[in-house]
Amino acid sequence: MPDQLDQVQHSPVRQAPTALLAIGLTSGLLSGLFGVGGGVLIVPALVLLAGFGQKLAHGTSLAAVVPISITGAIGYAVDGSVNWMVAALLAAGSMAGAVLGTWLLHVLPVRWLRYGFAAVLLFTAIRLGFETPQRLGEVELGVGGAALMLALGLLVGTLSGMFGVGGGIIMVPAMILLFGISDVVAKGTSLLVVIPTGIIATVQNLKRGNTDLRSATILGLAGVVSAYGGVLLALLLPPRLSVVLFAALLAFTAYRMLRAKSD
């Protein structure tokens, strides 16, 4: 018998622009501040506050994070906080992973997606809670490091396509923990990688009817307004405070997503 949670609203939800603008502004700020595309907030907000079905929220989020990430990446690049080689390696893997992830989004039950999304958020929150980032210089990658970056990109792209997030919630901690990259460089690099990944995933989602372009446009334009402010704030905040706030946000969002299963 089909999973009842698969019977979600799958057509575009015509919400008042005010609600979408508020979600976009908040997401843009958090995107710039934490180096994520913004989907970490957009997806649950669309589901819990705007009445979107889970799959439609994922696809709409991915379309919205593209302009938001472009703005944030430019802000970090102006500050010199982007590792272009790392970004190229991650992007190569993530673009391939995005195709796989959007296919999985189309075929997997919604219940799996919700559990999986919450699990990713909780794992990231717990790990970040134990981390004290150091703002060190960039690192040089050998052959092994480059291969690991490609594999990380593949994983990020797959998760991005499935969960509607830009992948920064995986990339930023991984770059800090596995490669010793500065937290601000990790954020700027992450946002740069989100751009091609989001474009590829959005094209795939449009083919499958998993994107509301009207809502994505409103979300994205609102996020562009606040994203650069988030970048400036990230450069001012102590790194420890930044990751603690991010971990708290992820934990709360995961909690709300799990509660929504029985609401």
Side-chain angles (χ1 to χ4, degrees):
M1 179 178 295
D3 190 333
Q4 291 183 353
L5 286 176
D6 279 327
Q7 310 303 318
V8 296
Q9 185 172 355
H10 196 70
S11 60
V13 182
R14 299 301 178 184
Q15 290 295 325
T18 302
L20 296 174
L21 285 171
I23 295 172
L25 284 169
T26 305
S27 300
L29 181 67
L30 295 177
S31 173
L33 177 59
F34 297 122
V36 299
V40 67
L41 177 65
I42 294 175
V43 172
L46 289 179
V47 172
L48 301 174
L49 304 178
F52 274 59
Q54 191 76 21
K55 292 184 179 181
L56 185 61
H58 290 162
T60 302
S61 168
L62 277 168
V65 302
V66 173
I68 295 174
S69 299
I70 290 173
T71 303
I74 291 173
Y76 280 104
V78 168
D79 184 66
S81 297
V82 171
N83 187 314
W84 298 93
M85 178 58 68
V86 169
L89 291 169
L90 288 171
S94 68
M95 286 188 288
V99 176
L100 173 61
T102 52
W103 176 77
L104 292 174
L105 169 64
H106 184 64
V107 301
L108 289 179
V110 172
R111 184 186 300 273
W112 290 21
L113 295 176
R114 188 168 284 171
Y115 273 128
F117 186 45
V120 170
L121 295 181
L122 284 174
F123 173 80
T124 307
I126 293 171
R127 188 62 190 88
L128 283 179
F130 292 98
E131 178 62 20
T132 302
Q134 300 296 321
R135 292 188 173 164
L136 305 174
E138 298 182 7
V139 297
E140 295 294 331
L141 294 176
V143 175
L148 184 56
M149 279 292 183
L150 284 170
L152 175 61
L154 182 64
L155 173 63
V156 165
T158 302
L159 294 176
S160 175
M162 289 179 63
F163 299 143
V165 295
I169 57 172
I170 302 298
M171 283 187 286
V172 173
M175 281 187 274
I176 294 172
L177 297 174
L178 300 179
F179 298 94
I181 295 175
S182 161
D183 65 307
V184 291
V185 173
K187 292 175 183 178
T189 303
S190 168
L191 285 173
L192 189 60
V193 176
V194 166
I195 298 168
T197 306
I199 292 173
I200 296 267
T202 296
V203 170
Q204 297 298 316
N205 279 323
L206 283 172
K207 293 178 180 178
R208 298 181 172 98
N210 286 333
T211 301
D212 178 357
L213 279 181
R214 171 189 174 273
S215 296
T217 300
I218 297 173
L219 290 164
L221 291 178
V224 164
V225 173
S226 56
Y228 188 68
V231 173
L232 296 178
L233 185 57
L235 298 175
L236 294 175
L237 281 180
R240 177 60 182 165
L241 176 58
S242 179
V243 297
V244 168
L245 291 175
F246 188 27
L249 171 67
L250 293 179
F252 175 75
T253 305
Y255 168 75
R256 286 301 302 145
M257 290 300 293
L258 291 174
R259 280 291 303 273
K261 294 174 65 58
S262 57
D263 286 349

